[in-house]
């Protein structure tokens, strides 16, 4: 049985819409007035908070500079009380006189970004102790200055009694060279003789060298109640006022900074700064600023709405300064009203459209059957379940997942549950700025930066990444990294915010550790300097010992020369004695035979057989003497050739080392075959030498001959290898000759090139060959020949080094 539906009159939804719109209009007007007042109060409190925070930051910077100046003075006093250790360079090496009579740091080798500069006024005369004191102060100033580059003061300095200065100021590295002729810090607030111990502040004064207004934290240095000068830090006025730029968020916003005498110190109102006195401040803008200033003091208020403007006042206690700010209220009010009007209009239009659409849909869907309605309910239930599952999944993510408007308050449209763990606030506190806006918990110093970074990156790429701080509900500060971008409809921003506080704290600890490390390095450097002096003294003693050893070495060399000469003389005598002895024996035999022959003749006993026998003996003796004489002549020629000198008619030109080696090996082809010797030649055809090819032929031939005669004595197959290569950047040829023979005894190796030192001496060898080779390489090719060690291996290896160009 079908279900019958009644047709709903068309005017019922219209009347309902009018009633709803009327009620909404009444409540919206009432709520708008309340929200406008609330928003204005929030603007006033936020403005006052910003001004107070800026004053607090200035106060903290001054306090930190004062404490650092005290630490610097104590460090310098402690170092000076401990004496003056050796500091490397002398003061005279670091400074030089200038034409104006002053003494300043030498520009050559000076790096103002890492070193402290020195300026001494004309007439400064320094004793040795004063010079050491200045060097010690320079070291301490550099250590403190480089370790405090991240601090909020401008420089680190020390002034001595003469009016000179040792200063580390990376932002003005040429400070000491800018000082005018004859300048001195005597009589200035920075150098007050015998000032009470402790840190004092100079008034706001212009430094005559960089021409900058600045405050200075100054601490006198005393050692045993004697004043040696002052140390301190400077803070420029401009750097103090940099934070005031955050107050320029609203059009026509301005500030005035008054000193303890109510005089204008600084302002971003150009006309007021040009006048620069209290009278103009009292009459500026018809006295509105001065009247607001008086009212704020009278009521001890931090902000005041006066004559359509919002004034704030913050006090910098350490200096007695007052920071006044002003901004017009009308633009802020207009913005709020325009925003509420636009929202109100959009709300009415959207409600009217929704009522009309619902009326049409109601009339249309009211006629559908129950099955279709049930189907819609099933779909709605499924969607609700999916939404719940999605919500549960998002809530489990440890990072904050959000969707917000791209406005100054970052009005949140959606937040997951992770927001409570990170900030301490509930998600519903931020939705549509119900309890507070997300911008309210962003650290004030980071608010402007966050807005600028996100807008710039959204404009270029549509995505962004930014790191900033938020204030936890419990009062702590947490570090966040936010990644996000435009939503699909480009009307809102979606992204993820992750807590990185632990990483930032670890990074800060590392920075502090590095600063502490700089001080430890400075102390360790001083200890190393003392140790270095001790090593210097030990080095002096070692040098004296070395001279004694060198003298002893010279005596040993002379003794070695005498020993070598003795060996050579003994060798020569040994070689000569053998043929002379043979001659003496032959002469004795001939003499006895002749005497026997004469006796037989005188006694008529001579026989033909005896005569022939005697003549044969005499003939053999003469032949023996002739052989001995020939041997003596050969020895004489060897002795003459021991000291090789090339003859004037010897051809000396460029020759191919590879071609020469091939020719030498071909000469020994028959002997190689007879003695079962193999060979290898590895020389680049492009390698050439300048000199006598005949001399190098003799060197290689002698080495091959020695290998065949003395190296391959056992019944084994011998192998000879000759190779060469270019070394020493193309200026030297290295020729290597090796065989696999029996090698050379270690006892003979060190004297192998000494004449008569061959191990075959007395075994058919004269011991002169290698000595001649040594002289050929040295005198003909200006090179050298060495016997390479073959410890643990058989065979002999010679290395010959010859320069390519002579």
């Amino acid at each position: 049985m079908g279900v019958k539906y009644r047709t709903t009159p068309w005017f019922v939804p219209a009347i309902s819409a009018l009633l709803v719109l009327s009620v909404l209009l009444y409540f919206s007007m009432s709520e708008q007035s309340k929200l406008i007042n609330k928003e204005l109060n929030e603007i006033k409190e936020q403005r006052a908070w910003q001004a107070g925070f800026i004053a607090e930051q200035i106060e903290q910077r001054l306090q930190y500079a004062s404490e650092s100046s005290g630490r610097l003075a104590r460090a310098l006093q402690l170092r000076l009380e401990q004496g003056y250790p050796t500091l490397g360079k002398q003061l005279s090496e670091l400074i030089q006189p200038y034409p104006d009579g002053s003494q300043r740091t030498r520009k050559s080798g000076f790096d103002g970004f890492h070193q402290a500069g020195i300026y001494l006024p004309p007439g400064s005369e320094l004793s040795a102790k004063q010079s050491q004191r200045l060097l010690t102060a320079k070291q301490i100033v550099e250590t403190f200055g480089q370790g405090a580059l991240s601090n909020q003061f401008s420089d680190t300095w020390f002034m001595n009694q003469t009016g000179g200065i040792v200063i580390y100021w990376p932002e003005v590295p040429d400070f000491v060279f800018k000082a005018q002729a004859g300048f001195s810090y005597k009589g200035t607030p920075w150098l007050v003789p015998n000032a009470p111990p402790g840190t004092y502040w100079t008034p706001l004064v212009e430094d005559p060298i960089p021409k900058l207004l600045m405050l200075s934290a100054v601490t006198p240095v005393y050692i045993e109640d004697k004043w040696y000068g002052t140390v301190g830090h400077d803070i420029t006025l401009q750097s103090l006022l940099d934070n005031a730029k955050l107050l320029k968020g609203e059009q026509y916003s301005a500030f005035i900074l008054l000193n303890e005498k109510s005089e204008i110190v600084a302002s971003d109102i150009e006309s007021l700064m040009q006048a620069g006195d209290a009278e103009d401040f009292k009459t500026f803008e018809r006295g509105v600023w001065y009247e607001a200033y008086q009212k704020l003091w009278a009521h001890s208020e931090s902000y005041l709405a006066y004559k359509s403007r919002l004034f704030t006042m913050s006090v910098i206690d350490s200096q007695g300064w007052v920071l006044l700010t002003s901004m017009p209220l009308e633009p802020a009010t207009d913005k709020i009203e325009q925003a509420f009007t636009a929202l109100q209009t959009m709300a009415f239009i959207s409600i009217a459209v929704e009522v009309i659409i619902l009326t049409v849909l109601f009339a249309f869907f009211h006629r559908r059957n129950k099955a279709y309605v049930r189907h819609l309910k099933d779909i709605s239930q499924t969607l609700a379940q999916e939404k719940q599952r999605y919500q549960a999944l998002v809530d489990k993510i440890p990072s904050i997942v959000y969707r917000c408007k791209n406005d100054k308050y970052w009005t949140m449209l959606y937040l997951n549950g992770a927001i409570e763990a990170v900030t301490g606030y509930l998600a519903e506190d931020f939705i549509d700025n119900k309890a507070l806006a997300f911008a309210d918990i962003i650290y004030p110093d980071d608010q402007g930066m966050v807005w600028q970074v996100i807008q710039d990156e959204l404009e270029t790429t549509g995505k962004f990444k930014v790191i900033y701080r938020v204030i936890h509900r419990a009062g702590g500060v947490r570090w966040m990294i936010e990644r996000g971008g435009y939503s699909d409809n480009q009307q809102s921003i979606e992204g993820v915010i992750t807590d990185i506080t632990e990483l930032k704290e670890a990074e800060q600890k590392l920075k502090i550790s590095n600063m502490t490390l700089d001080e430890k390095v400075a102390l360790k450097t001083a200890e190393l300097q003392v140790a270095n002096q001790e090593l210097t003294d030990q080095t002096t003693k070692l040098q004296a010992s070395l001279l004694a050893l060198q003298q002893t070495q010279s005596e040993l060399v002379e003794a070695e020369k005498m020993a070598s000469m003795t060996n050579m003389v003994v060798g020569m005598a040994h070689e000569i004695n053998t043929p002379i002895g043979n001659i003496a024996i032959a002469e004795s035999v001939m003499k006895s035979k002749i005497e026997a022959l004469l006796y037989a003749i005188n006694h008529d006993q001579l026989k033909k057989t005896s005569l022939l026998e005697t003549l044969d003996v005499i003939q053999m003796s003469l032949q023996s003497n002739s052989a001995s004489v020939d041997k003596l002549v050969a020895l004489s020629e060897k002795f003459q050739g021991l000291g090789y000198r090339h003859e004037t008619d010897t051809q000396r030109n460029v020759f191919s080392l590879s071609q020469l080696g091939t020719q030498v090996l071909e000469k020994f082809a028959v002997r190689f075959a007879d003695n079962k010797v193999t060979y290898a030649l590895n020389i680049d055809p492009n390698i050439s030498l300048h000199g006598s090819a005949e001399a190098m032929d003799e060197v290689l031939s002698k080495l091959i001959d020695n290998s065949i005669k003395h190296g391959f004595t056992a019944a084994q197959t011998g192998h000879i290898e000759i190779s060469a290569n270019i070394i020493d950047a193309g200026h030297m040829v290295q020729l290597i000759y090796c065989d696999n023979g029996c090698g050379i005894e270690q006892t003979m190796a060190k004297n192998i090139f000494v004449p008569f030192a061959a191990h075959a001496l007395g075994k058919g060898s004269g011991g002169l060959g290698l000595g001649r080779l040594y002289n050929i390489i040295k005198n003909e090719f200006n090179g050298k020949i060495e016997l390479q060690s073959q410890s643990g291996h058989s065979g002999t290896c010679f290395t010959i080094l010859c320069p390519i160009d002579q």
Side-chain angles (χ1 to χ4, degrees):
M1 181 175 180
V3 180
K4 295 183 178 179
Y5 293 94
R6 290 184 178 181
T7 304
T8 304
W10 65 269
F11 55 83
V12 173
I15 294 174
S16 300
L18 289 175
L19 291 174
V20 171
L21 288 174
S22 298
V23 174
L24 288 176
L25 179 61
Y26 171 78
F27 284 104
S28 66
M29 294 299 292
S30 176
E31 189 66 22
Q32 177 179 344
S33 178
K34 294 179 181 179
L35 290 176
I36 288 174
N37 291 330
K38 179 182 178 181
E39 191 68 23
L40 283 175
N41 287 331
E42 290 181 353
I43 291 175
K44 294 175 184 178
E45 292 177 357
Q46 183 177 6
R47 180 73 172 188
W49 183 88
Q50 286 180 343
F53 180 78
I54 291 171
E56 182 181 350
Q57 290 294 101
I58 294 175
E59 181 73 33
Q60 289 178 357
R61 291 184 62 185
L62 297 176
Q63 181 66 25
Y64 188 87
S66 176
E67 294 174 355
S68 179
S69 179
R71 291 195 299 271
L72 175 59
R74 288 192 294 274
L76 182 56
Q77 288 171 354
L78 179 62
R79 181 63 64 83
L80 294 178
E81 288 172 353
Q82 293 174 347
Y84 306 103
T86 302
L87 299 175
K89 292 187 176 180
Q90 300 296 320
L91 181 63
S92 58
E93 301 178 31
L94 300 176
I95 63 174
Q96 64 181 15
Y98 276 65
D100 63 349
S102 67
Q103 300 183 65
R104 312 186 191 204
T105 296
R106 297 177 183 269
K107 289 188 177 181
S108 59
F110 175 68
D111 180 7
F113 294 99
H114 300 90
Q115 300 174 356
I118 301 176
Y119 170 82
L120 298 175
S124 299
E125 296 183 0
L126 301 177
S127 64
K129 286 188 176 180
Q130 291 172 332
S131 299
Q132 288 293 318
R133 193 179 305 135
L134 272 180
L135 285 175
T136 304
K138 177 178 181 294
Q139 186 184 68
I140 297 296
V141 167
E142 286 175 350
T143 301
F144 265 77
Q146 292 173 4
L149 287 178
S150 61
N151 287 330
Q152 298 177 348
F153 45 78
S154 302
D155 56 13
T156 304
W157 50 262
F158 164 77
M159 294 182 186
N160 66 351
Q161 304 98 315
T162 66
I165 186 170
V166 178
I167 183 167
Y168 175 72
W169 193 354
E171 293 182 1
V172 188
D174 56 347
F175 179 90
V176 297
F177 306 115
K178 290 183 175 181
Q180 297 179 357
F183 174 75
S184 173
Y185 276 103
K186 279 187 175 181
T188 65
W190 296 285
L191 193 65
V192 178
N194 300 312
T199 301
Y200 65 88
W201 281 95
T202 64
L204 188 67
V205 63
E206 182 182 68
D207 192 303
I209 295 179
K211 304 297 183 183
L212 294 173
L213 284 171
M214 61 178 61
L215 288 170
S216 300
V218 183
T219 307
V221 178
Y222 287 95
I223 302 176
E224 297 180 355
D225 297 330
K226 184 177 180 181
W227 178 67
Y228 282 92
T230 58
V231 298
H233 301 296
D234 298 328
I235 300 179
T236 62
L237 177 62
Q238 182 61 43
S239 67
L240 279 178
L241 298 178
D242 283 344
N243 286 338
K245 295 178 181 178
L246 294 175
L247 299 172
K248 298 296 290 183
E250 297 291 340
Q251 190 176 14
Y252 305 115
S253 173
F255 75 89
I256 297 175
L257 186 64
L258 302 175
N259 64 11
E260 70 279 4
K261 299 178 181 179
S262 296
E263 297 172 342
I264 299 173
V265 174
S267 175
D268 58 354
I269 306 172
E270 185 175 356
S271 61
L272 190 59
M273 277 305 295
Q274 290 175 350
D277 57 46
E279 294 299 327
D280 291 305
F281 166 60
K282 292 180 181 180
T283 60
F284 181 68
E285 292 187 352
R286 299 180 181 179
V288 173
W289 280 80
Y290 186 70
E291 292 172 4
Y293 173 54
Q294 294 293 328
K295 289 180 180 293
L296 287 168
W297 268 117
H299 297 88
S300 300
E301 297 288 345
S302 59
Y303 65 89
L304 173 67
Y306 183 67
K307 293 186 178 181
S308 300
R309 297 184 68 87
L310 175 62
F311 293 90
T312 69
M313 181 179 72
S314 303
V315 179
I316 302 173
D317 294 327
S318 65
Q319 300 297 322
W321 291 358
V322 175
L323 177 65
L324 290 177
T325 73
S326 172
M327 62 173 283
L329 287 173
E330 185 177 354
T333 306
D334 291 344
K335 279 184 182 180
I336 297 171
E337 291 179 350
Q338 291 173 5
F340 277 108
T341 301
L343 289 173
Q344 197 174 55
T345 303
M346 292 175 62
F348 289 150
I349 293 174
S350 63
I351 291 173
V353 172
E354 288 174 2
V355 170
I356 295 171
I357 294 174
L358 287 174
T359 301
V360 175
L361 290 176
F362 176 77
F364 177 74
F365 287 107
H366 193 61
R367 300 181 182 274
R368 294 290 184 180
N369 55 50
K370 291 183 177 180
Y372 187 69
V373 172
R374 189 181 300 112
H375 178 64
L376 289 178
K377 289 182 178 180
D378 292 341
I379 293 176
S380 176
Q381 185 177 2
T382 303
L383 290 175
Q385 293 174 353
E386 291 296 328
K387 182 178 179 181
Q388 290 177 356
R389 284 196 292 268
Y390 173 76
Q391 184 67 39
L393 176 62
V394 171
D395 287 339
K396 291 180 181 178
I397 298 177
S399 298
I400 302 171
V401 180
Y402 72 91
R403 181 186 299 109
C404 72
K405 297 179 181 179
N406 187 17
D407 57 20
K408 285 284 188 178
Y409 306 102
W410 307 115
T411 302
M412 290 294 168
L413 304 176
Y414 169 78
L415 278 169
N416 70 336
I419 186 70
E420 183 177 0
V422 175
T423 67
Y425 296 96
L426 298 176
E428 51 265 27
D429 293 340
F430 296 102
I431 301 301
D432 293 327
N433 302 330
K434 179 180 178 182
L436 74 166
F438 190 79
D440 295 338
I441 68 170
I442 297 178
Y443 200 72
D445 283 356
D446 298 343
Q447 289 177 357
M449 178 272 295
V450 172
W451 172 262
Q452 193 62 44
V453 169
I454 292 178
Q455 300 309 311
D456 291 345
E457 296 194 11
L458 285 177
E459 184 177 352
T460 56
T461 64
K463 298 180 180 180
F464 65 87
K465 182 180 78 170
V466 64
I467 298 176
Y468 57 90
R469 292 165 287 181
V470 298
I471 302 174
H472 195 273
R473 187 172 188 173
V477 176
R478 310 290 292 179
W479 282 91
M480 303 291 157
I481 181 171
E482 180 177 347
R483 295 181 176 88
Y486 277 127
S487 60
D488 295 338
N489 57 11
Q490 301 288 312
Q491 298 301 315
S492 59
I493 298 175
E494 298 174 337
V496 177
I497 304 174
T498 304
D499 188 349
I500 59 169
T501 303
E502 294 182 357
L503 292 177
K504 280 293 183 178
E505 290 175 350
E507 180 182 353
Q508 185 64 24
K509 290 180 181 178
L510 181 60
K511 288 183 179 179
I512 294 173
S513 176
N514 288 338
M515 293 174 61
T516 306
L517 181 61
D518 289 338
E519 297 180 1
K520 291 182 178 178
V521 169
L523 294 175
K524 193 63 178 179
T525 301
E527 295 175 1
L528 290 176
Q529 289 174 344
V530 174
N532 184 47
Q533 181 63 36
E534 295 176 357
L535 289 176
T536 302
D537 296 340
Q538 294 178 1
T539 302
T540 303
K541 295 179 181 180
L542 289 175
Q543 287 177 344
S545 301
L546 179 61
L547 290 175
L549 288 174
Q550 288 176 343
Q551 183 176 357
T552 303
Q553 182 183 18
S554 299
E555 295 174 358
L556 291 174
V557 169
E558 292 298 327
E560 185 68 21
K561 289 181 180 179
M562 293 300 298
S564 297
M565 183 63 71
T566 301
N567 289 337
M568 184 177 70
V569 171
V570 171
M572 292 175 62
H574 176 80
E575 292 296 321
I576 294 173
N577 282 341
T578 300
I580 290 178
N582 292 336
I583 292 174
I585 292 173
E587 288 180 348
S588 176
V589 171
M590 286 190 295
K591 181 178 180 181
S592 62
K593 289 296 182 182
I594 291 174
E595 288 178 352
L597 180 62
L598 291 175
Y599 180 85
I601 292 174
N602 292 332
H603 294 80
D604 295 328
Q605 296 177 358
L606 181 62
K607 296 181 180 178
K608 182 178 181 179
T609 56
S610 299
L611 178 60
L612 292 176
E613 181 182 352
T614 300
L615 291 176
D616 288 339
V617 171
I618 292 173
Q619 184 177 6
M620 287 189 295
S621 298
L622 289 175
Q623 289 176 351
S624 174
N625 285 350
S626 178
S628 297
V629 170
D630 291 340
K631 188 173 183 180
L632 287 174
V633 172
L635 284 173
S636 176
E637 290 176 353
K638 285 185 178 181
F639 294 152
Q640 292 176 359
L642 183 61
Y644 180 84
R645 293 291 187 276
H646 64 264
E647 301 298 332
T648 56
D649 58 348
T650 302
Q651 293 185 358
R652 305 182 72 255
N653 48 27
V654 177
F655 63 92
S656 170
L657 194 58
S658 174
Q659 183 177 355
L660 177 65
T662 301
Q663 294 173 357
V664 171
L665 291 172
E666 288 176 352
K667 290 193 303 182
F668 285 88
V670 175
R671 295 182 63 185
F672 286 159
D674 294 340
N675 293 277
K676 298 180 180 180
V677 176
T678 60
Y679 61 86
L681 181 67
N682 299 315
I683 301 178
D684 191 334
N686 296 322
I687 298 178
S688 300
L689 282 177
H690 182 272
S692 171
E694 296 177 358
M696 185 56 71
D697 185 311
E698 181 179 349
V699 171
L700 294 177
S701 298
K702 182 60 179 177
L703 292 176
I704 294 173
D705 182 69
N706 281 352
S707 294
I708 295 174
K709 285 183 177 181
H710 309 298
F712 306 135
T713 56
Q716 62 179 6
T717 301
H719 181 74
I720 294 174
E721 183 174 355
I722 303 174
S723 61
N725 56 342
I726 302 296
I727 62 172
D728 194 16
H731 298 291
M732 189 75 70
V733 173
Q734 177 179 275
L735 178 62
I736 300 176
Y737 174 90
C738 294
D739 66 33
N740 64 341
C742 60
I744 298 174
E745 297 177 0
Q746 292 296 324
T747 56
M748 296 296 299
K750 65 178 182 178
N751 296 319
I752 192 65
F753 298 109
V754 177
F756 302 103
H759 79 143
L761 185 64
K763 302 178 182 179
S765 173
L768 299 176
L770 293 180
R772 176 174 171 82
L773 296 190
Y774 178 89
N775 288 328
I776 290 175
I777 296 300
K778 179 179 180 181
N779 297 322
E780 178 63 30
F781 295 97
N782 193 25
K784 62 180 181 179
I785 180 171
E786 297 177 348
L787 174 65
Q788 297 299 317
S789 174
Q790 296 291 310
S791 178
H793 301 280
S794 63
T796 303
C797 189
F798 290 90
T799 298
I800 301 173
L801 298 175
C802 298
I804 293 178
D805 301 324
Q806 299 190 46

